Amino acid sequence: MKLKILAFGITKDIFGTSEKTVEVNDDLTVKQLKNFLEEDFPELKKLKSYFIAVDEEYAEDHQVLSSVNVIAVIPPVSGG
């Protein structure tokens, strides 16, 4: 299946774009997507943390993804 992934902040710089489409296996979980992305973009592993949002809500690692989901990679946020 194809997944459209939105990138924000430093993840946009890592991907080289704000939107990326990837071809993955059906029944992929969020954790498997993270592993897939880290293989293609090893710089992601250097981040202290990052989150995957699915349909505008933070997703748990066990959540199964669908090609109709809106997926975003959210980097760590700091503020003050």
Side-chain angles (χ1 to χ4, degrees), residues 1-5 19-29 32-33 35-37 39-41 65-67 71:
M1 77 176 151
K2 288 186 181 182
L3 296 176
K4 183 167 79 170
I5 300 172
E19 188 176 298
K20 182 136 191 86
T21 301
V22 295
E23 184 78 33
V24 295
N25 295 328
D26 291 345
D27 299 322
L28 191 79
T29 65
Q32 290 169 322
L33 175 62
N35 292 338
F36 176 86
L37 292 173
E39 282 183 29
D40 282 359
F41 303 97
L65 301 170
S66 165
S67 61
I71 299 167

Side-chain angles (χ1 to χ4, degrees), residues 15-79:
F15 290 171
T17 184
S18 61
E19 188 176 298
K20 182 136 191 86
T21 301
V22 295
E23 184 78 33
V24 295
N25 295 328
D26 291 345
D27 299 322
L28 191 79
T29 65
V30 168
K31 178 63 176 169
Q32 290 169 322
L33 175 62
K34 286 180 178 179
N35 292 338
F36 176 86
L37 292 173
E38 289 173 2
E39 282 183 29
D40 282 359
F41 303 97
E43 291 291 314
L44 282 175
K45 293 180 195 178
K46 294 181 182 178
L47 296 179
K48 193 172 191 175
S49 67
Y50 66 93
F51 301 97
I52 301 292
V54 177
D55 299 331
E56 299 182 7
E57 292 186 20
Y58 289 116
E60 299 289 331
D61 282 346
H62 64 273
Q63 184 172 344
V64 177
L65 301 170
S66 165
S67 61
V68 299
N69 292 133
V70 176
I71 299 167
V73 181
I74 312 291
V77 179
S78 63

